Amino acid sequence: MSGVWAALMGLGDVLAQHVILAACAIGLGIAVALPLAVWASRSQAVARGALGFASLVQTIPALALLALFFPILLSLRAVFGEGLPTLGFLPALLALALYALLPILRNAVTAQTNLDPGVLEAADGVGMNFWQRLRLVEAPLAAPYIMAGIRTAAVWTIGAATLSTTIGQPSLGDPIFAGLQTQNWSLVLAGCIASAGLAIVADALLGTIEAGFRRRDRRLWLGGAIAVAVGVAAAFASQADWSRDDGRDTIVIGTKQFSEQLILGRLVGEQLEDAGYNVEYREGLGSAVVAQAVANGSIDLYFDYTGTIWANQMKRTDNPGRDAMYDAIVKWERDVQGTRVVGKLGFENAYALAMREDRAQQLGIRTIEDLARAAPRLVAGGDPEWFERPEWFAVRDAYGLDFANERNFSPTFMYNALTSGDADVISAYTSDGRIAADNLVILDDPREALPSYDTLIIVSPERADDERLMAALEPLLGNINVDAMRQANFSVDRTDGDKKTPREAARWLAEEVGLD
Amino acid sequence: MASSLTFEGVTKRYDSTEALAGIDLTVEPGSFVALVGASGSGKSTLLKTINRLTEPSEGRVLLDGEDVSASDPTAMRRSTGYVFQRIGLFPHMTVGENIAIGPRLVGTRLGNERIGELLELVDLDPGMIDRLPDALSGGQQQRVGVARALAGQPSLLLMDEPFGALDPVTRDALGTRVRDLHERLDLTTIMVTHDMAEALILADRVLVMDKGRIVADETPQALASGKGGDVAQELVAVPRHQAEMLKGLEA
């Protein structure tokens, strides 16, 4: 429990960011929903259309809605220019505001249709104009119902805002996702407690305002409103940059959703800070998002793997060999994406098929060819991307793999599934520390169906000619060996006593490979 | 100064049905006119063409010689008293705020003293000023409704089944009170009702409507003595029959 407590204490910053994001999203939701509700009360068609749209939005999973705003904003750059952010606060705000729309709109429309017709006739009869009727009669009578809608929206939004971590907006999802990736359950629990606690507090305060409206008790609703305002203002105040601009250049490092990327992010981040840069992190981005994000300058730097770029982005299915592939990728990144491949870090994180050593021996499997014969009786596990990836199609087609069942696991649970027997073979990563720790064997690939996966540093077009940055990154190139990386990864992924955070592992790694 | 009203060929059509079939009518200042008829006869529709809660399809309504369709409807409604069956007190406002709403819309604050006077006019205790409508009986609520209609010192009072939802005793008392106020405040009053007895007792001119037309236009005395035609006499027959039954019981 002390671990959870310590983790909670470290959440001040993401809590403030979470509050700001949720408050802005709900505010925007209210600003859109209320005028729409007024319009809807004057037009059946608008009411049907608006409620239909809001309900449709609600059927989209929150995670997908957040992700969808990346391509939407990217295409809107044609209108608003290249400065339009496609990751981080803006898409998170828009997606969450859309999500908040339905409960507010529905309650506001319902409240209006349920207003006593006699009261509305009286409002007209005494000679109220449109605005007088809205302000003096409709708004005060609908207020408690609208407030109930805002309350529902607030609870949803605070929960869904944890997912904005995946599009690079810091939130209480940061500890949850980071903890999930690194099996740090204290961190996951702390994130959940903070997020649920925030939702409960917001619900109670907004409930107070609602009760104040319902009982026409000015002190009650004003008190609730002031408490909400103070909370949001405190969050803003804590995030305001009180320090003067120090003139240091800021590098934004993006990483994907697994330990190795988090460690590399911190490793490079600390190197750059030593070199005089400010560093920001966008951690836990999706594979496709992160590659596009660097191409359009939403982030400055990220790490990718030659085989991933080759198959996913260049859509190549052939395998020309390690060096030819690297050269082709450098050229493609420069000519097509405008990005620059700074160089190789020195280790491979290849996809490979792994089994438990005892199970492989028992079945007599040493190569993927052996595996293909036994496959119809075996269950294959993969990370959520694996069975959609070209690498899987390549290895499947090369060996004619046909498993009894294919199951998806998050990377962490994938290894657990192998240990527990829920999967017989998994798509492992060669730099993964758990290969040695769990006594796994990597199956040989005699037909070379799986491409090489040299780890690269790639920088955005704006940074491509930044020689000071290149110089700061130079000491890392070719310097990280796979054994050191495996150990660093394992120190973060392990679940027993001596578990490290990605930052601690990065420091250990820096020392291990002789960086200062 | 009481208002005069003139209807010229006022017609109202809803899709295929004709709610008003060309009404021509003049109402003298200071008269108390009852519009009587069965449900769907067009009496409420005709009333609402005056304060433009309903717009006629054809024809025009003149208030003190001015075409109401040329006026600002909100301004015109503020100077016209309107009382209706559903009462429509604003539930979030006190009795005092409800009464003062009309003047408030034009930026005039009604003092507590004036509100107290208006409450007394409708036989309510001025001490009720801070109550919410919920805390009042139906009869008290409609009395507040009448006070609200009178707050803007109107010269025209429109009433749409004003006593329809009240118990008979309250109904009688409030009806008498309104007739009294009609005299004292020099009003022109138009009252829609389906109750011929009420019309005969309160009004000095009774218009009987049927299928969008005025089929009788008589004084209460003339109706009581058998004039006005079949539709009117059918309606008069009800209270007459009741009165005879009552007399039979007394004997």
Side-chain angles (χ1 to χ4, degrees):
Chain A
M1 275 322 281
S2 65
V4 177
W5 184 250
L8 271 173
M9 290 298 97
L11 293 184
D13 186 54
V14 284
L15 174 67
Q17 300 230 38
H18 200 97
V19 168
I20 291 170
L21 175 63
C24 289
I26 296 160
L28 184 59
I30 293 171
V32 174
L34 293 189
L36 211 52
V38 171
W39 191 15
S41 73
R42 269 73 175 169
S43 157
Q44 275 292 315
V46 173
R48 269 198 303 274
L51 281 176
F53 172 75
S55 305
L56 183 73
V57 166
Q58 213 68 55
T59 63
I60 303 173
L63 192 60
L65 191 64
L66 284 159
L68 275 175
F69 267 90
F70 181 72
I72 292 172
L73 288 171
L74 210 53
S75 61
L76 284 178
R77 282 190 164 185
V79 184
F80 295 104
E82 291 302 307
L84 190 72
T86 54
L87 285 176
F89 189 76
L90 184 67
L93 171 73
L94 295 177
L96 292 173
L98 264 185
Y99 229 54
L101 206 56
L102 180 69
I104 305 174
L105 189 63
R106 184 179 280 162
N107 277 40
V109 168
T110 309
Q112 291 230 349
T113 49
N114 287 344
L115 284 181
D116 178 359
V119 167
L120 295 180
E121 187 177 349
D124 289 334
V126 299
M128 288 190 192
N129 61 31
F130 177 90
W131 293 110
Q132 288 170 331
R133 179 173 134 165
L134 189 64
R135 183 168 60 84
L136 297 173
V137 178
E138 289 169 289
L141 291 179
Y145 303 95
I146 293 171
M147 210 55 226
I150 292 173
R151 224 173 129 182
T152 308
V155 173
W156 288 4
T157 306
I158 288 169
T162 55
L163 299 171
S164 60
T165 296
T166 57
I167 54 168
Q169 167 60 29
S171 75
L172 287 171
D174 289 18
I176 298 175
F177 281 94
L180 205 56
Q181 285 145 22
T182 61
Q183 299 214 47
N184 183 340
W185 305 123
S186 299
L187 212 50
V188 174
L189 204 57
C192 291
I193 291 171
S195 162
L198 181 61
I200 290 168
V201 169
D203 188 54
L205 291 180
L206 296 173
T208 306
I209 301 177
E210 184 192 333
F213 282 153
R214 214 173 275 285
R215 293 186 219 148
R216 311 191 208 294
D217 183 339
R218 188 191 174 85
R219 284 221 315 264
L220 200 58
W221 67 255
L222 211 57
I226 289 170
V228 170
V230 166
V232 174
F236 272 102
S238 77
Q239 290 299 303
D241 192 2
W242 300 111
S243 62
R244 298 252 164 205
D245 186 359
D246 55 10
R248 284 157 61 119
D249 197 2
T250 299
I251 296 281
V252 181
I253 298 178
T255 71
K256 303 191 195 186
Q257 299 187 2
F258 46 93
S259 304
E260 176 173 291
Q261 289 261 329
L262 299 175
I263 297 167
L264 290 176
R266 295 292 165 169
L267 177 70
V268 169
E270 302 227 329
Q271 290 293 311
L272 293 180
E273 280 181 355
D274 290 347
Y277 287 96
N278 285 330
V279 177
E280 285 178 16
Y281 300 93
R282 299 279 182 270
E283 292 176 335
L285 301 172
S287 261
V289 167
V290 74
Q292 284 203 51
V294 79
N296 67 44
S298 299
I299 58 174
D300 293 305
L301 179 155
Y302 89 113
F303 312 95
D304 215 335
Y305 307 94
T306 48
T308 308
I309 297 170
W310 188 256
N312 277 21
Q313 291 170 249
M314 296 168 68
K315 310 286 180 204
R316 298 277 292 261
T317 51
D318 54 328
N319 190 351
R322 195 169 177 177
D323 292 334
M325 183 185 284
Y326 176 74
D327 293 340
I329 287 171
V330 170
K331 186 172 179 321
W332 182 83
E333 288 284 350
R334 186 185 62 223
D335 297 346
V336 179
Q337 299 286 80
T339 49
R340 175 166 171 181
V341 177
V342 180
K344 303 183 195 176
L345 281 172
F347 72 94
E348 266 197 274
N349 182 0
Y351 269 110
L353 297 179
M355 295 181 74
R356 253 163 51 197
E357 200 174 19
D358 54 341
R359 183 92 172 119
Q361 258 171 13
Q362 176 198 344
L363 294 169
I365 298 174
R366 235 178 289 143
T367 67
I368 304 178
E369 280 174 346
D370 301 335
L371 178 69
R373 282 191 290 275
R377 288 174 284 123
L378 302 180
V379 174
D383 63 46
E385 294 179 10
W386 169 248
F387 291 109
E388 302 299 327
R389 288 184 71 94
E391 291 91 339
W392 159 242
F393 299 136
V395 71
R396 180 192 66 190
D397 296 344
Y399 294 95
L401 288 172
D402 182 16
F403 290 104
N405 194 8
E406 292 164 3
R407 298 181 62 183
N408 284 322
F409 301 96
S410 80
T412 294
F413 290 119
M414 190 168 72
Y415 287 91
N416 295 349
L418 200 55
T419 323
S420 69
D422 285 316
D424 300 299
V425 55
I426 59 167
S427 63
Y429 321 112
T430 54
S431 62
D432 201 305
R434 286 170 291 202
I435 287 175
D438 290 356
N439 276 332
L440 307 184
V441 289
I442 302 269
L443 303 182
D444 284 340
D445 175 17
R447 298 183 195 168
E448 292 187 345
L450 291 165
S452 60
Y453 284 84
D454 284 307
T455 311
L456 309 177
I457 300 180
I458 297 176
V459 296
S460 66
E462 293 77 38
R463 298 290 181 182
D465 302 319
D466 186 339
E467 290 313 319
R468 185 171 145 238
L469 179 62
M470 297 307 140
L473 295 171
E474 176 65 32
L476 291 153
L477 301 180
N479 207 358
I480 318 284
N481 63 68
V482 73
D483 285 331
M485 194 67 235
R486 259 184 205 166
Q487 281 191 56
N489 286 341
F490 186 64
S491 72
V492 171
D493 289 331
R494 67 192 301 167
T495 50
D496 54 353
D498 195 19
K499 189 173 177 62
K500 286 193 171 79
T501 65
R503 189 192 185 126
E504 289 162 355
R507 287 190 178 151
W508 175 88
L509 184 59
E511 212 164 292
E512 181 72 13
V513 301
L515 294 162
D516 36 42
Chain B
M1 183 61 198
S3 296
S4 70
L5 273 172
T6 307
F7 297 80
E8 291 178 354
V10 173
T11 304
K12 179 68 184 176
R13 276 184 291 269
Y14 296 104
D15 297 326
S16 57
T17 59
E18 203 163 54
L20 295 175
I23 303 287
D24 292 299
L25 177 71
T26 301
V27 175
E28 297 301 327
S31 49
F32 194 124
V33 178
L35 286 170
V36 191
S39 300
S41 60
K43 54 191 193 299
S44 276
T45 309
L46 184 63
L47 183 87
K48 287 179 182 171
T49 60
I50 302 168
N51 64 357
R52 295 184 62 189
L53 291 175
T54 297
E55 298 286 350
S57 313
E58 279 168 39
R60 55 183 197 153
V61 181
L62 305 178
L63 175 61
D64 293 325
E66 305 280 333
D67 188 343
V68 294
S69 68
S71 68
D72 170 8
T74 58
M76 187 261 294
R77 288 171 196 156
R78 286 169 199 160
S79 57
T80 303
Y82 183 56
V83 180
F84 59 106
Q85 182 169 4
R86 283 188 293 209
I87 304 175
L89 294 187
F90 303 118
H92 57 300
M93 296 183 190
T94 63
V95 165
E97 287 168 337
N98 264 285
I99 291 173
I101 190 72
R104 178 176 164 193
L105 296 178
V106 289
T108 311
R109 245 187 67 84
L110 222 52
N112 280 359
E113 206 172 318
R114 170 77 180 132
I115 294 170
E117 278 173 29
L118 286 160
L119 282 168
E120 282 178 331
L121 277 186
V122 293
D123 295 327
L124 286 177
D125 175 4
M128 283 185 171
I129 189 165
D130 289 324
R131 298 234 192 122
L132 285 171
D134 279 358
L136 271 53
S137 71
Q140 289 172 328
Q141 288 186 14
Q142 190 57 297
R143 284 173 195 272
V144 175
V146 173
R148 179 173 68 183
L150 298 175
Q153 294 182 301
S155 48
L156 175 66
L157 180 62
L158 304 177
M159 299 198 289
D160 190 359
E161 304 270 11
F163 315 126
L166 306 181
D167 68 87
V169 176
T170 310
R171 189 182 175 118
D172 186 54
L174 191 51
T176 311
R177 167 55 68 182
V178 166
R179 173 72 220 196
D180 179 36
L181 290 171
H182 166 81
E183 307 289 346
R184 270 172 62 185
L185 302 176
D186 188 20
L187 300 170
T188 299
T189 303
I190 317 280
M191 176 179 75
V192 166
T193 177
H194 59 262
D195 182 347
M196 181 55 95
E198 189 171 77
L200 292 173
I201 292 163
L202 297 179
D204 38 44
R205 181 179 176 190
V206 178
L207 304 175
V208 179
M209 291 194 67
D210 185 42
K211 299 189 185 99
R213 293 173 200 284
I214 295 174
V215 294
D217 180 357
E218 303 288 349
T219 63
Q221 293 77 9
L223 282 172
S225 61
K227 293 189 179 148
D230 291 346
V231 177
Q233 283 307 314
E234 238 171 74
L235 293 170
V236 174
V238 179
R240 178 177 288 142
H241 179 63
Q242 286 171 340
E244 282 163 6
M245 296 284 281
L246 210 56
K247 228 171 193 144
L249 290 176
E250 284 165 13

